[in-house]
Amino acid sequence: MKRVSHQQASQLLHNKFVVVLGDSIQRAVYKDLVLLLQKEKFLSNKQLKSKGEMSFEQDCLVEGGSLNFMHNGTGYKEVRQFQSGHHLVRFYFVTRVYSPYMQSIFDDLRNGRKPDVVIFNSCVWDISRYNSSWLDNYKENLHMFFAELRGIVPKETLVIWNLTMPLGKTIKGGFLVPEIEHRASLLRYDVIEANFYSSTLADAYGMDVLDLHFHFRFSLQHRTVDGVHWNALAHRKITSLLLEHSAQAWGVAMPLAVVEHTEVAAQLPASGNSKAAKRHASRRNYSYREDFTRDTWPCSFMNVPLPAYHPPPDLRNGKCLKDQCIWFDYRPPNHHHQQNVMRSRHVRPHYAPYTHPRHSQYDRHGRYY
């Protein structure tokens, strides 16, 4: 595999402020980034499964988590922050892409230090826990989220929307309460539809899109037995994709190191139940049709009749997005270059908002600026 080294990550994010927003998958993205900024190691199984702990690899729990009552409800909060002499990474756990709690996060970004990189995703909770007819509500919340975020962060900020990774046919997790268990087998299809709308809207609002669903469609062996989460090797690959994307957006040359599988296996944490893992692996089917082994759309895909295009209204103030020079539809892009994998990167200047260690930005009680 090709991956970013500790030294490359530390140099690329030198004097950078990174904000990660999302669910438990994005929390593991935050944890792997924090770990890579300090050492050349992979996350352990315990670190991947833990949530709300007081400290992880020298970071600090700022709000929620074990400071409050731990639960699996939609109101669960967890804010974490890691700070070194030249790195600042913050994580917000969110269960909905736009909500009153998201507005409080926007207040943090509006009144505090402006981030250099924003990495975010919100999908599985949105389409399962709030409304069975989720599509219109999800699109409306995406509109409001992208519009407000675009007005808060400076144009130099690199904003990356991660598409949701493939779900298993049989899934279980904290978000899957008994009331929605009957929808578990259909969520993997809903995720594909939600990814389509969210990626198109993110592109229309000038955000970068990283299609993790595409990148991991043939790496299902790295998905854990719950059908939702992924192992340490997959998360190091996600970190490498994010940092490679950031380097190209900033015009920084960062060749990835090629690591042998034996070397990677030696660094990975040992599996807790090898027999169960072997049984789970034996049930996987890797026989894909020809259409799913190419990076191009199947020939029959474009034969589906497309709806008439109408510019959508701005859901916040009733004004048409035409006035803001943002015209888009939900059709797949028709370009010779493959656009459904990763959106073309916005070239942004590589700059440092602060150049000295700021050890006093939050105190030992975990309050942040």
Side-chain angles (χ1 to χ4, degrees), residues 241-272:
L241 288 170
L242 289 167
L243 294 181
E244 183 185 13
H245 186 94
S246 302
Q248 294 184 13
W250 290 331
V252 177
M254 190 181 66
L256 299 185
V258 179
V259 185
E260 297 293 338
H261 289 287
T262 54
E263 182 181 345
V264 172
Q267 299 180 51
L268 283 174
S271 175

PDB file of all heavy atoms in Angstrom, residues 241-272:
ATOM      1  N   LEU A 241      -5.119   9.507   1.823  1.00  0.00           N
ATOM      2  CA  LEU A 241      -5.885  10.138   0.753  1.00  0.00           C
ATOM      3  C   LEU A 241      -6.165  11.602   1.064  1.00  0.00           C
ATOM      4  O   LEU A 241      -6.049  12.474   0.197  1.00  0.00           O
ATOM      5  CB  LEU A 241      -7.196   9.386   0.541  1.00  0.00           C
ATOM      6  CG  LEU A 241      -7.107   8.000  -0.111  1.00  0.00           C
ATOM      7  CD1 LEU A 241      -8.457   7.290  -0.022  1.00  0.00           C
ATOM      8  CD2 LEU A 241      -6.669   8.114  -1.564  1.00  0.00           C
ATOM      9  N   LEU A 242      -6.536  11.889   2.311  1.00  0.00           N
ATOM     10  CA  LEU A 242      -6.830  13.268   2.707  1.00  0.00           C
ATOM     11  C   LEU A 242      -5.584  14.148   2.623  1.00  0.00           C
ATOM     12  O   LEU A 242      -5.644  15.281   2.130  1.00  0.00           O
ATOM     13  CB  LEU A 242      -7.393  13.290   4.121  1.00  0.00           C
ATOM     14  CG  LEU A 242      -8.813  12.744   4.293  1.00  0.00           C
ATOM     15  CD1 LEU A 242      -9.138  12.536   5.767  1.00  0.00           C
ATOM     16  CD2 LEU A 242      -9.835  13.692   3.671  1.00  0.00           C
ATOM     17  N   LEU A 243      -4.449  13.642   3.108  1.00  0.00           N
ATOM     18  CA  LEU A 243      -3.230  14.446   3.088  1.00  0.00           C
ATOM     19  C   LEU A 243      -2.690  14.591   1.669  1.00  0.00           C
ATOM     20  O   LEU A 243      -2.150  15.643   1.308  1.00  0.00           O
ATOM     21  CB  LEU A 243      -2.183  13.811   3.998  1.00  0.00           C
ATOM     22  CG  LEU A 243      -2.532  13.810   5.494  1.00  0.00           C
ATOM     23  CD1 LEU A 243      -1.414  13.174   6.313  1.00  0.00           C
ATOM     24  CD2 LEU A 243      -2.807  15.221   6.000  1.00  0.00           C
ATOM     25  N   GLU A 244      -2.829  13.550   0.859  1.00  0.00           N
ATOM     26  CA  GLU A 244      -2.411  13.657  -0.539  1.00  0.00           C
ATOM     27  C   GLU A 244      -3.262  14.691  -1.267  1.00  0.00           C
ATOM     28  O   GLU A 244      -2.752  15.498  -2.059  1.00  0.00           O
ATOM     29  CB  GLU A 244      -2.527  12.297  -1.210  1.00  0.00           C
ATOM     30  CG  GLU A 244      -2.050  12.294  -2.664  1.00  0.00           C
ATOM     31  CD  GLU A 244      -2.290  10.961  -3.342  1.00  0.00           C
ATOM     32  OE1 GLU A 244      -3.041  10.133  -2.782  1.00  0.00           O
ATOM     33  OE2 GLU A 244      -1.740  10.757  -4.438  1.00  0.00           O
ATOM     34  N   HIS A 245      -4.555  14.676  -1.013  1.00  0.00           N
ATOM     35  CA  HIS A 245      -5.455  15.659  -1.605  1.00  0.00           C
ATOM     36  C   HIS A 245      -5.079  17.076  -1.167  1.00  0.00           C
ATOM     37  O   HIS A 245      -5.037  18.005  -1.975  1.00  0.00           O
ATOM     38  CB  HIS A 245      -6.888  15.339  -1.185  1.00  0.00           C
ATOM     39  CG  HIS A 245      -7.921  16.194  -1.847  1.00  0.00           C
ATOM     40  ND1 HIS A 245      -8.584  15.825  -2.993  1.00  0.00           N
ATOM     41  CD2 HIS A 245      -8.398  17.432  -1.523  1.00  0.00           C
ATOM     42  CE1 HIS A 245      -9.436  16.782  -3.342  1.00  0.00           C
ATOM     43  NE2 HIS A 245      -9.338  17.761  -2.463  1.00  0.00           N
ATOM     44  N   SER A 246      -4.780  17.260   0.119  1.00  0.00           N
ATOM     45  CA  SER A 246      -4.400  18.573   0.635  1.00  0.00           C
ATOM     46  C   SER A 246      -3.091  19.045   0.006  1.00  0.00           C
ATOM     47  O   SER A 246      -2.955  20.224  -0.351  1.00  0.00           O
ATOM     48  CB  SER A 246      -4.262  18.512   2.160  1.00  0.00           C
ATOM     49  OG  SER A 246      -5.459  18.084   2.771  1.00  0.00           O
ATOM     50  N   ALA A 247      -2.130  18.150  -0.123  1.00  0.00           N
ATOM     51  CA  ALA A 247      -0.844  18.521  -0.709  1.00  0.00           C
ATOM     52  C   ALA A 247      -1.007  18.994  -2.151  1.00  0.00           C
ATOM     53  O   ALA A 247      -0.412  20.000  -2.559  1.00  0.00           O
ATOM     54  CB  ALA A 247       0.119  17.336  -0.642  1.00  0.00           C
ATOM     55  N   GLN A 248      -1.837  18.296  -2.919  1.00  0.00           N
ATOM     56  CA  GLN A 248      -2.041  18.697  -4.307  1.00  0.00           C
ATOM     57  C   GLN A 248      -2.802  20.015  -4.392  1.00  0.00           C
ATOM     58  O   GLN A 248      -2.545  20.827  -5.280  1.00  0.00           O
ATOM     59  CB  GLN A 248      -2.783  17.595  -5.049  1.00  0.00           C
ATOM     60  CG  GLN A 248      -1.973  16.309  -5.190  1.00  0.00           C
ATOM     61  CD  GLN A 248      -2.677  15.253  -6.007  1.00  0.00           C
ATOM     62  OE1 GLN A 248      -3.668  15.528  -6.673  1.00  0.00           O
ATOM     63  NE2 GLN A 248      -2.182  14.038  -5.944  1.00  0.00           N
ATOM     64  N   ALA A 249      -3.743  20.242  -3.474  1.00  0.00           N
ATOM     65  CA  ALA A 249      -4.465  21.518  -3.482  1.00  0.00           C
ATOM     66  C   ALA A 249      -3.551  22.677  -3.145  1.00  0.00           C
ATOM     67  O   ALA A 249      -3.748  23.796  -3.636  1.00  0.00           O
ATOM     68  CB  ALA A 249      -5.621  21.454  -2.482  1.00  0.00           C
ATOM     69  N   TRP A 250      -2.544  22.436  -2.307  1.00  0.00           N
ATOM     70  CA  TRP A 250      -1.603  23.485  -1.915  1.00  0.00           C
ATOM     71  C   TRP A 250      -0.383  23.548  -2.823  1.00  0.00           C
ATOM     72  O   TRP A 250       0.495  24.379  -2.620  1.00  0.00           O
ATOM     73  CB  TRP A 250      -1.145  23.252  -0.472  1.00  0.00           C
ATOM     74  CG  TRP A 250      -2.215  23.504   0.540  1.00  0.00           C
ATOM     75  CD1 TRP A 250      -3.251  24.365   0.440  1.00  0.00           C
ATOM     76  CD2 TRP A 250      -2.348  22.875   1.822  1.00  0.00           C
ATOM     77  NE1 TRP A 250      -4.035  24.331   1.575  1.00  0.00           N
ATOM     78  CE2 TRP A 250      -3.496  23.423   2.440  1.00  0.00           C
ATOM     79  CE3 TRP A 250      -1.609  21.915   2.522  1.00  0.00           C
ATOM     80  CZ2 TRP A 250      -3.923  23.039   3.709  1.00  0.00           C
ATOM     81  CZ3 TRP A 250      -2.044  21.530   3.781  1.00  0.00           C
ATOM     82  CH2 TRP A 250      -3.186  22.078   4.368  1.00  0.00           C
ATOM     83  N   GLY A 251      -0.305  22.669  -3.813  1.00  0.00           N
ATOM     84  CA  GLY A 251       0.845  22.666  -4.712  1.00  0.00           C
ATOM     85  C   GLY A 251       2.112  22.172  -4.060  1.00  0.00           C
ATOM     86  O   GLY A 251       3.211  22.605  -4.421  1.00  0.00           O
ATOM     87  N   VAL A 252       1.986  21.241  -3.111  1.00  0.00           N
ATOM     88  CA  VAL A 252       3.139  20.704  -2.397  1.00  0.00           C
ATOM     89  C   VAL A 252       3.442  19.305  -2.916  1.00  0.00           C
ATOM     90  O   VAL A 252       2.541  18.456  -2.985  1.00  0.00           O
ATOM     91  CB  VAL A 252       2.866  20.648  -0.873  1.00  0.00           C
ATOM     92  CG1 VAL A 252       4.043  20.018  -0.142  1.00  0.00           C
ATOM     93  CG2 VAL A 252       2.578  22.042  -0.339  1.00  0.00           C
ATOM     94  N   ALA A 253       4.697  19.056  -3.291  1.00  0.00           N
ATOM     95  CA  ALA A 253       5.106  17.726  -3.741  1.00  0.00           C
ATOM     96  C   ALA A 253       5.274  16.815  -2.527  1.00  0.00           C
ATOM     97  O   ALA A 253       6.054  17.109  -1.622  1.00  0.00           O
ATOM     98  CB  ALA A 253       6.410  17.808  -4.527  1.00  0.00           C
ATOM     99  N   MET A 254       4.531  15.699  -2.519  1.00  0.00           N
ATOM    100  CA  MET A 254       4.600  14.784  -1.390  1.00  0.00           C
ATOM    101  C   MET A 254       4.492  13.349  -1.902  1.00  0.00           C
ATOM    102  O   MET A 254       3.413  12.745  -1.919  1.00  0.00           O
ATOM    103  CB  MET A 254       3.475  15.064  -0.381  1.00  0.00           C
ATOM    104  CG  MET A 254       3.625  14.320   0.932  1.00  0.00           C
ATOM    105  SD  MET A 254       2.264  14.651   2.078  1.00  0.00           S
ATOM    106  CE  MET A 254       0.897  13.905   1.209  1.00  0.00           C
ATOM    107  N   PRO A 255       5.609  12.764  -2.344  1.00  0.00           N
ATOM    108  CA  PRO A 255       5.554  11.383  -2.839  1.00  0.00           C
ATOM    109  C   PRO A 255       5.224  10.413  -1.712  1.00  0.00           C
ATOM    110  O   PRO A 255       5.792  10.476  -0.628  1.00  0.00           O
ATOM    111  CB  PRO A 255       6.964  11.158  -3.387  1.00  0.00           C
ATOM    112  CG  PRO A 255       7.827  12.140  -2.652  1.00  0.00           C
ATOM    113  CD  PRO A 255       6.957  13.335  -2.395  1.00  0.00           C
ATOM    114  N   LEU A 256       4.276   9.505  -1.971  1.00  0.00           N
ATOM    115  CA  LEU A 256       3.875   8.539  -0.963  1.00  0.00           C
ATOM    116  C   LEU A 256       4.851   7.371  -0.928  1.00  0.00           C
ATOM    117  O   LEU A 256       5.344   6.924  -1.962  1.00  0.00           O
ATOM    118  CB  LEU A 256       2.464   8.023  -1.243  1.00  0.00           C
ATOM    119  CG  LEU A 256       1.349   9.062  -1.248  1.00  0.00           C
ATOM    120  CD1 LEU A 256      -0.002   8.380  -1.420  1.00  0.00           C
ATOM    121  CD2 LEU A 256       1.368   9.885   0.017  1.00  0.00           C
ATOM    122  N   ALA A 257       5.105   6.872   0.263  1.00  0.00           N
ATOM    123  CA  ALA A 257       5.996   5.731   0.435  1.00  0.00           C
ATOM    124  C   ALA A 257       5.229   4.446   0.161  1.00  0.00           C
ATOM    125  O   ALA A 257       4.098   4.272   0.603  1.00  0.00           O
ATOM    126  CB  ALA A 257       6.561   5.715   1.855  1.00  0.00           C
ATOM    127  N   VAL A 258       5.854   3.525  -0.573  1.00  0.00           N
ATOM    128  CA  VAL A 258       5.262   2.224  -0.850  1.00  0.00           C
ATOM    129  C   VAL A 258       5.705   1.263   0.239  1.00  0.00           C
ATOM    130  O   VAL A 258       6.897   1.049   0.459  1.00  0.00           O
ATOM    131  CB  VAL A 258       5.695   1.706  -2.229  1.00  0.00           C
ATOM    132  CG1 VAL A 258       5.081   0.330  -2.495  1.00  0.00           C
ATOM    133  CG2 VAL A 258       5.297   2.690  -3.314  1.00  0.00           C
ATOM    134  N   VAL A 259       4.724   0.691   0.944  1.00  0.00           N
ATOM    135  CA  VAL A 259       5.006  -0.195   2.061  1.00  0.00           C
ATOM    136  C   VAL A 259       4.544  -1.593   1.706  1.00  0.00           C
ATOM    137  O   VAL A 259       3.431  -1.790   1.194  1.00  0.00           O
ATOM    138  CB  VAL A 259       4.284   0.287   3.345  1.00  0.00           C
ATOM    139  CG1 VAL A 259       4.671  -0.566   4.533  1.00  0.00           C
ATOM    140  CG2 VAL A 259       4.619   1.744   3.620  1.00  0.00           C
ATOM    141  N   GLU A 260       5.401  -2.575   1.947  1.00  0.00           N
ATOM    142  CA  GLU A 260       5.045  -3.964   1.674  1.00  0.00           C
ATOM    143  C   GLU A 260       3.960  -4.436   2.632  1.00  0.00           C
ATOM    144  O   GLU A 260       3.841  -3.957   3.760  1.00  0.00           O
ATOM    145  CB  GLU A 260       6.286  -4.858   1.812  1.00  0.00           C
ATOM    146  CG  GLU A 260       7.392  -4.540   0.819  1.00  0.00           C
ATOM    147  CD  GLU A 260       7.008  -4.860  -0.611  1.00  0.00           C
ATOM    148  OE1 GLU A 260       6.093  -5.696  -0.806  1.00  0.00           O
ATOM    149  OE2 GLU A 260       7.586  -4.263  -1.534  1.00  0.00           O
ATOM    150  N   HIS A 261       3.167  -5.405   2.177  1.00  0.00           N
ATOM    151  CA  HIS A 261       2.086  -5.932   3.009  1.00  0.00           C
ATOM    152  C   HIS A 261       2.617  -6.585   4.284  1.00  0.00           C
ATOM    153  O   HIS A 261       1.988  -6.515   5.335  1.00  0.00           O
ATOM    154  CB  HIS A 261       1.265  -6.942   2.210  1.00  0.00           C
ATOM    155  CG  HIS A 261       0.439  -6.323   1.137  1.00  0.00           C
ATOM    156  ND1 HIS A 261      -0.699  -5.600   1.404  1.00  0.00           N
ATOM    157  CD2 HIS A 261       0.596  -6.288  -0.208  1.00  0.00           C
ATOM    158  CE1 HIS A 261      -1.227  -5.160   0.260  1.00  0.00           C
ATOM    159  NE2 HIS A 261      -0.464  -5.562  -0.717  1.00  0.00           N
ATOM    160  N   THR A 262       3.785  -7.220   4.184  1.00  0.00           N
ATOM    161  CA  THR A 262       4.343  -7.867   5.377  1.00  0.00           C
ATOM    162  C   THR A 262       4.726  -6.834   6.423  1.00  0.00           C
ATOM    163  O   THR A 262       4.541  -7.044   7.622  1.00  0.00           O
ATOM    164  CB  THR A 262       5.569  -8.699   4.991  1.00  0.00           C
ATOM    165  OG1 THR A 262       6.500  -7.862   4.270  1.00  0.00           O
ATOM    166  CG2 THR A 262       5.172  -9.876   4.117  1.00  0.00           C
ATOM    167  N   GLU A 263       5.251  -5.696   5.982  1.00  0.00           N
ATOM    168  CA  GLU A 263       5.615  -4.638   6.919  1.00  0.00           C
ATOM    169  C   GLU A 263       4.380  -4.024   7.555  1.00  0.00           C
ATOM    170  O   GLU A 263       4.360  -3.723   8.750  1.00  0.00           O
ATOM    171  CB  GLU A 263       6.414  -3.558   6.185  1.00  0.00           C
ATOM    172  CG  GLU A 263       6.894  -2.422   7.086  1.00  0.00           C
ATOM    173  CD  GLU A 263       7.648  -1.363   6.318  1.00  0.00           C
ATOM    174  OE1 GLU A 263       8.040  -1.625   5.161  1.00  0.00           O
ATOM    175  OE2 GLU A 263       7.834  -0.267   6.872  1.00  0.00           O
ATOM    176  N   VAL A 264       3.319  -3.863   6.770  1.00  0.00           N
ATOM    177  CA  VAL A 264       2.081  -3.323   7.313  1.00  0.00           C
ATOM    178  C   VAL A 264       1.466  -4.289   8.313  1.00  0.00           C
ATOM    179  O   VAL A 264       1.018  -3.907   9.392  1.00  0.00           O
ATOM    180  CB  VAL A 264       1.084  -3.026   6.172  1.00  0.00           C
ATOM    181  CG1 VAL A 264      -0.274  -2.663   6.731  1.00  0.00           C
ATOM    182  CG2 VAL A 264       1.612  -1.903   5.292  1.00  0.00           C
ATOM    183  N   ALA A 265       1.458  -5.577   7.974  1.00  0.00           N
ATOM    184  CA  ALA A 265       0.864  -6.574   8.863  1.00  0.00           C
ATOM    185  C   ALA A 265       1.591  -6.640  10.193  1.00  0.00           C
ATOM    186  O   ALA A 265       0.987  -6.887  11.240  1.00  0.00           O
ATOM    187  CB  ALA A 265       0.873  -7.944   8.183  1.00  0.00           C
ATOM    188  N   ALA A 266       2.900  -6.398  10.170  1.00  0.00           N
ATOM    189  CA  ALA A 266       3.669  -6.444  11.415  1.00  0.00           C
ATOM    190  C   ALA A 266       3.315  -5.295  12.337  1.00  0.00           C
ATOM    191  O   ALA A 266       3.442  -5.414  13.562  1.00  0.00           O
ATOM    192  CB  ALA A 266       5.165  -6.418  11.096  1.00  0.00           C
ATOM    193  N   GLN A 267       2.866  -4.168  11.770  1.00  0.00           N
ATOM    194  CA  GLN A 267       2.534  -3.008  12.588  1.00  0.00           C
ATOM    195  C   GLN A 267       1.086  -3.002  13.048  1.00  0.00           C
ATOM    196  O   GLN A 267       0.736  -2.302  13.997  1.00  0.00           O
ATOM    197  CB  GLN A 267       2.793  -1.719  11.793  1.00  0.00           C
ATOM    198  CG  GLN A 267       4.235  -1.519  11.368  1.00  0.00           C
ATOM    199  CD  GLN A 267       4.414  -0.229  10.595  1.00  0.00           C
ATOM    200  OE1 GLN A 267       4.001   0.830  11.023  1.00  0.00           O
ATOM    201  NE2 GLN A 267       5.034  -0.320   9.433  1.00  0.00           N
ATOM    202  N   LEU A 268       0.209  -3.763  12.378  1.00  0.00           N
ATOM    203  CA  LEU A 268      -1.202  -3.749  12.717  1.00  0.00           C
ATOM    204  C   LEU A 268      -1.447  -4.420  14.057  1.00  0.00           C
ATOM    205  O   LEU A 268      -0.765  -5.379  14.412  1.00  0.00           O
ATOM    206  CB  LEU A 268      -2.012  -4.470  11.639  1.00  0.00           C
ATOM    207  CG  LEU A 268      -2.270  -3.701  10.349  1.00  0.00           C
ATOM    208  CD1 LEU A 268      -2.940  -4.598   9.333  1.00  0.00           C
ATOM    209  CD2 LEU A 268      -3.131  -2.483  10.617  1.00  0.00           C
ATOM    210  N   PRO A 269      -2.446  -3.950  14.826  1.00  0.00           N
ATOM    211  CA  PRO A 269      -2.801  -4.613  16.080  1.00  0.00           C
ATOM    212  C   PRO A 269      -3.371  -5.992  15.812  1.00  0.00           C
ATOM    213  O   PRO A 269      -4.022  -6.223  14.799  1.00  0.00           O
ATOM    214  CB  PRO A 269      -3.850  -3.674  16.696  1.00  0.00           C
ATOM    215  CG  PRO A 269      -4.403  -2.914  15.550  1.00  0.00           C
ATOM    216  CD  PRO A 269      -3.269  -2.762  14.572  1.00  0.00           C
ATOM    217  N   ALA A 270      -3.137  -6.915  16.718  1.00  0.00           N
ATOM    218  CA  ALA A 270      -3.620  -8.281  16.560  1.00  0.00           C
ATOM    219  C   ALA A 270      -5.135  -8.316  16.679  1.00  0.00           C
ATOM    220  O   ALA A 270      -5.735  -7.582  17.458  1.00  0.00           O
ATOM    221  CB  ALA A 270      -2.990  -9.185  17.617  1.00  0.00           C
ATOM    222  N   SER A 271      -5.760  -9.191  15.888  1.00  0.00           N
ATOM    223  CA  SER A 271      -7.207  -9.325  15.931  1.00  0.00           C
ATOM    224  C   SER A 271      -7.619 -10.062  17.194  1.00  0.00           C
ATOM    225  O   SER A 271      -6.976 -11.017  17.618  1.00  0.00           O
ATOM    226  CB  SER A 271      -7.689 -10.088  14.693  1.00  0.00           C
ATOM    227  OG  SER A 271      -9.066 -10.329  14.768  1.00  0.00           O
ATOM    228  N   GLY A 272      -8.734  -9.624  17.790  1.00  0.00           N
ATOM    229  CA  GLY A 272      -9.173 -10.225  19.043  1.00  0.00           C
ATOM    230  C   GLY A 272      -9.809 -11.588  18.867  1.00  0.00           C
ATOM    231  O   GLY A 272      -9.797 -12.395  19.779  1.00  0.00           O
TER     232      GLY A 272
END
